[in-house]
Every structure is written in structure tokens, then in C-alpha cells.
Amino acid sequence: PPTLETTRLRLRAHQTDDFEDVARLWADPAVVRHISGTPSTEAESWWRLLRYTGHWHHLGFGYWAIEDRKTSRFLGEAGLAHYKRNLDVACRDMPEAGWVFAQDAWGHGYAHEAMSAILAWADRTLDATSTWCFISEEHAASLRLATRLGFHETQRSRVMESPVVILQRARRKTAP
């Protein structure tokens, strides 16, 4: 994966040295509250880390580890995936956007900064006509962020018995 840099962030490939940070992130009940509702085990976090690498290898896109440029502190992860979800969504074969940050990184604008860089990269690089995401109806902060990023609600559904909002963002034309 390419390394992307913003004013405050470095988005880089995951490495096996990230395992403890990834495991800590996904084991936090507050972090997963609106994602799965269940903290991940170390094994599940390890599989996630390997899945990120597989996405890049096979699809040419995936998730980045997000770190503070000044301190190199791990803040979270964000990117694009294709999980072949069993959802009746017209755009389900397009890249699915997602972001997750540690609690101490919430409220600083990091998710917007990271996802803006990722979506700009996708617009320049990928052939996909759009990206999509689904967010728990109860996750107001992520729904606001998705709207700021240019996603628009297309439908509502249920994932793991939880109501979700399905949003789509059209690819933006970039200057030559």
C-alpha cells in the first residue's frame, strides 16, 4: 500500500508489529459498540491484520494503519475493503469504506482527515464508480462524518440483527 500523509497523520501499511495496537483497539468495548457490539479476541484481531494484507495483495486496496506523524502513536485504522457481505445493496461489489479509532483519538478530526485522504486516493487510483459504507443507526458521529465525506443514504437494512444505514459516495472527478 502507498503511504499517505496529511497535515497530522501518516497512513501506512500494517505490519506484524502493529498486532498489540490492533488487538487493544478491537478489544475495547466502547470502540466496537456500534460495529459488532462484541470485543474481538486476540485471534480475531490477528485474522483481521492478515485480512488487511490480503486485500492489498489481491484487490489493490485495503486498510491503512493510522498514526500521528509527530509521535508515531497508533491512532486507529481506516480504508477500503470488499467483504462480500450478504446484503441486498446495489453497490456491494464496490469498495466498502470503514474507519475505527482508539477512544483517546475521538473528537480530534482524525477520522475525517484520514478518510478524506483515502477517498481522494481512491478517486485517483481505483476504477470503481462509487464507494459505500454501512453505519449503525445509533452511531450519530459516524453518520455525520459519512455525510461530510460526501456519502448519501441509499437505504436501510439490518446487519447481525442491528439496524444500519447504507450510504454511497460517487467517485469524484480529479483534475488531470
Side-chain angles (χ1 to χ4, degrees), residues 6-41:
T6 68
T7 304
R8 302 178 296 165
L9 306 175
R10 179 174 298 107
L11 290 67
R12 59 164 178 77
H14 282 86
Q15 301 172 19
T16 54
D17 290 348
D18 293 320
F19 173 67
E20 286 184 23
D21 289 324
V22 170
R24 188 172 26 260
L25 175 72
W26 287 95
D28 184 337
V31 169
V32 300
R33 177 176 172 220
H34 296 295
I35 300 172
S36 68
T38 305
S40 294
T41 65

Side-chain angles (χ1 to χ4, degrees), residues 72-146:
S72 297
R73 180 173 61 100
F74 180 88
L75 301 172
E77 6 190 75
L80 302 166
H82 189 21
Y83 294 126
K84 298 223 180 255
R85 296 189 189 278
N86 188 21
L87 290 173
D88 185 21
V89 180
C91 56
R92 71 172 267 206
D93 289 328
M94 299 293 168
E96 176 186 337
W99 52 88
V100 59
F101 285 81
Q103 281 192 71
D104 62 353
W106 295 355
H108 299 283
Y110 296 139
H112 183 267
E113 191 171 329
M115 286 306 301
S116 293
I118 290 165
L119 292 169
W121 172 86
D123 289 343
R124 288 188 312 273
T125 309
L126 302 181
D127 289 334
T129 58
S130 67
T131 53
W132 71 287
C133 63
F134 71 88
I135 300 171
S136 167
E137 287 183 352
E138 297 176 356
H139 201 333
S142 278
L143 288 168
R144 281 191 306 274
L145 173 59

Side-chain angles (χ1 to χ4, degrees), residues 1 50-62 82 126:
L50 297 177
R51 188 168 54 231
Y52 294 151
T53 304
H55 265 84
W56 283 105
H57 177 76
H58 292 288
L59 301 176
F61 60 84
H82 189 21
L126 302 181

